[in-house]
Amino acid sequence: MFWLQAIGFSIFGDTIAVEKGFSLLTFVISATLLFQIWMRLNKDDVAIQKAFPLALLMALIAGRVNWGFANNLLDNLLAVFSLTAVLLVVIAYDRPSPTFSAKRMALLALAGFAICLSLMTKGPVGLFPLAAPALYWLVFRRPAFLVMVHDSLIILAVIVLFIATLYAFEASREAVDRYVTAQLASSLSGARGQYGGGVYVFRKILGVNGYSLAILALTALASWRLGLGRSISLYRDSRFKRVAFLILIGMSASFPIALSPRVANFYFNTSLFFYSAGFAILVAPTIMEALSRLRDERAKIFSMTALAVLVASVVIVIANMGRSGTDTRTIEQATAIERTVCAGQSNCKPSISACENAWQDWALHTYMQRFYKISIAKQAEVVADFIIADASCADLPGYRPLRTDITPYVLLKRQV
């Protein structure tokens, strides 16, 4: 992801428009890929096909998906490659084909390459589409079991070949080893912080799907009390199979996260595309029938209200362009630190460290880097000219506090 964005920076310069544009592009591609998966899985169910906007809406309101696209997370590109891999598997199994069909094997090889790109984007979490052929067979009972095993081995072979290629070159081998040692191993061991992993992941999965589950409960109540969505009986078995496939894919993306003690809600963003699509198939018949029962006058009011909400949303977004939002205080802290430690110097590269708690303020790291290209080291590892201190280390020998207001932190300066 850094490499792809670097191309944008080299063309358009160091501007946040590159990041915003890249993030918007990943959203558009992800929505398009989800649409293709939705249309192919529901190819014989026209009523559900028409409900794709509902599936996309449920994905956007789930967990931290919209926040992730607004903030240009690695998970955005991970979603692009993961959705691509699953779509290729769905296309490969769309119609019956011989065991050694060249077209199907080519699609599966491409799916394997898409998984490799997911792996390069955010590590082992990107491997989950490898389970797609097995889950497709488990739910739809096609293709034949041995064909599914053969196809899974094709995907696995592409991944192994890709990793072997990385290890064939010194530079990429060193980069992979450094990633495994500094990033992956430390995350799995809890050295980089414990944010509720392990069994707590299952509670988090319910939490990030909270809105979808609430919508599901309300539509079930409407179906029971008002008799809506009874048309589901026409495709009951088929729809439940599609729901099961999508939710199982989501589970394959989210359950492995439990291996790490370091878990945040946005880690589930990619899986939420699949969970939301599955839940959307369940609630679509009820919602679509409710909309169809609206009389012409009420339907017109509903359409005008929806249009007004859309226009208001666009206006609000434009009005808030350039505003600090919820990170206002962090941006003020970063600005105050830069003005103090650089004092008008151009190309200033000060030596700054932070105590353990302050050092884990990732938003502060981000704004110091993005706006001022200033890094913050760990206080225990370097002797810096300035220290961002918290209550646990506000009184360090050899340093004096400055009057710079970065509450709740204190800026310390080394005494000469």
Side-chain angles (χ1 to χ4, degrees):
M1 181 162 171
F2 297 149
W3 172 66
L4 289 174
Q5 290 196 60
I7 297 173
F9 287 122
S10 66
I11 296 173
F12 300 105
D14 185 8
T15 167
I16 200 168
V18 171
E19 298 171 64
K20 293 297 185 182
F22 187 88
S23 196
L24 176 61
L25 181 62
T26 57
F27 165 68
V28 172
I29 296 175
S30 295
T32 302
L33 291 168
L34 183 64
F35 173 75
Q36 290 297 323
I37 293 173
W38 178 268
M39 297 301 285
R40 285 185 175 274
L41 285 178
N42 298 297
K43 63 182 182 298
D44 298 322
D45 195 346
V46 178
I48 295 297
Q49 280 188 333
K50 293 179 181 179
F52 172 72
L54 175 63
L56 183 60
L57 176 64
M58 290 178 69
L60 283 174
I61 65 174
R64 303 282 276 171
V65 173
N66 63 81
W67 178 85
F69 283 109
N71 289 278
N72 195 32
L73 299 188
L74 288 171
D75 304 77
N76 302 350
L77 190 61
L78 175 65
V80 169
F81 295 135
S82 300
L83 287 163
T84 298
V86 174
L87 173 61
L88 289 167
V89 171
V90 170
I91 295 174
Y93 290 162
D94 201 21
R95 292 286 184 267
S97 60
T99 303
F100 298 103
S101 166
K103 178 181 178 181
R104 194 186 72 251
M105 287 191 287
L107 288 168
L108 294 167
L110 288 174
F113 181 66
I115 294 173
C116 293
L117 297 179
S118 294
L119 185 66
M120 293 288 285
T121 300
K122 207 180 177 184
V125 70
L127 290 172
F128 76 87
L130 180 60
L135 294 177
Y136 197 99
W137 172 84
L138 180 66
V139 173
F140 298 107
R141 283 296 187 265
R142 67 175 196 271
F145 178 77
L146 291 180
V147 173
M148 177 274 294
V149 173
H150 169 267
D151 294 346
S152 298
L153 291 175
I154 291 176
I155 297 176
L156 184 60
V158 172
I159 297 171
V160 171
L161 181 61
F162 184 85
I163 295 175
T165 303
L166 289 179
Y167 267 85
F169 298 94
E170 183 179 358
S172 56
R173 182 171 63 252
E174 290 179 352
V176 171
D177 289 341
R178 186 167 57 249
Y179 163 76
V180 171
T181 302
Q183 184 87 6
L184 184 60
S186 60
S187 292
L188 293 176
S189 67
R192 298 182 65 233
Q194 300 199 26
Y195 301 150
V199 295
Y200 294 102
V201 162
F202 302 102
R203 187 173 65 185
K204 284 183 175 292
I205 292 173
L206 292 176
V208 294
N209 281 295
Y211 288 124
S212 294
L213 293 173
I215 293 172
L216 180 60
L218 289 173
T219 53
L221 179 62
S223 178
W224 174 56
R225 294 299 299 263
L226 304 177
L228 297 173
R230 296 297 172 84
S231 60
I232 192 173
S233 59
L234 182 63
Y235 296 96
R236 182 182 296 275
D237 293 340
S238 174
R239 284 179 181 170
F240 285 162
K241 286 182 179 180
R242 284 171 264 152
V243 170
F245 174 70
L246 289 166
I247 290 181
L248 284 172
I249 290 289
M251 291 168 63
S252 72
S254 55
F255 279 16
I257 296 174
L259 296 174
S260 173
R262 175 186 167 87
V263 176
N265 285 345
F266 63 84
Y267 288 8
F268 301 96
N269 281 8
T270 300
S271 66
L272 287 172
F273 281 96
F274 300 102
Y275 281 124
S276 299
F279 289 132
I281 293 176
L282 288 176
V283 304
T286 300
I287 294 177
M288 297 289 283
E289 186 173 337
L291 292 175
S292 68
R293 290 188 182 183
L294 293 176
R295 295 181 179 178
D296 291 343
E297 183 178 346
R298 291 182 177 179
K300 185 176 181 180
I301 294 174
F302 178 83
S303 299
M304 294 300 294
T305 302
L307 180 61
V309 170
L310 175 62
V311 172
S313 300
V314 173
V315 170
I316 291 172
V317 169
I318 294 174
N320 281 282
M321 288 179 63
R323 294 188 179 182
S324 302
T326 57
D327 288 341
T328 298
R329 182 53 188 162
T330 306
I331 294 173
E332 291 174 350
Q333 291 170 330
T335 302
I337 292 170
E338 189 275 339
R339 287 177 178 173
T340 300
V341 302
C342 291
Q345 304 174 41
S346 59
N347 299 320
C348 175
K349 299 294 181 184
S351 173
I352 301 180
S353 67
C355 298
E356 184 64 27
N357 293 336
W359 187 80
Q360 293 191 38
D361 188 338
W362 311 122
L364 183 59
H365 279 274
T366 301
Y367 288 113
M368 292 294 291
Q369 285 275 10
R370 187 66 192 85
F371 292 162
Y372 307 114
K373 299 182 175 63
I374 294 176
S375 299
I376 304 174
K378 277 188 177 181
Q379 184 270 329
E381 296 177 355
V382 301
V383 179
D385 293 331
F386 297 90
I387 297 178
I388 302 172
D390 52 47
S392 66
C393 63
D395 187 19
L396 293 174
Y399 288 86
R400 62 180 178 85
L402 301 177
R403 293 184 177 180
T404 306
D405 181 15
I406 57 170
T407 310
Y409 307 127
V410 177
L411 187 63
L412 307 179
K413 182 176 181 180
R414 187 156 60 100
Q415 295 175 319
V416 180

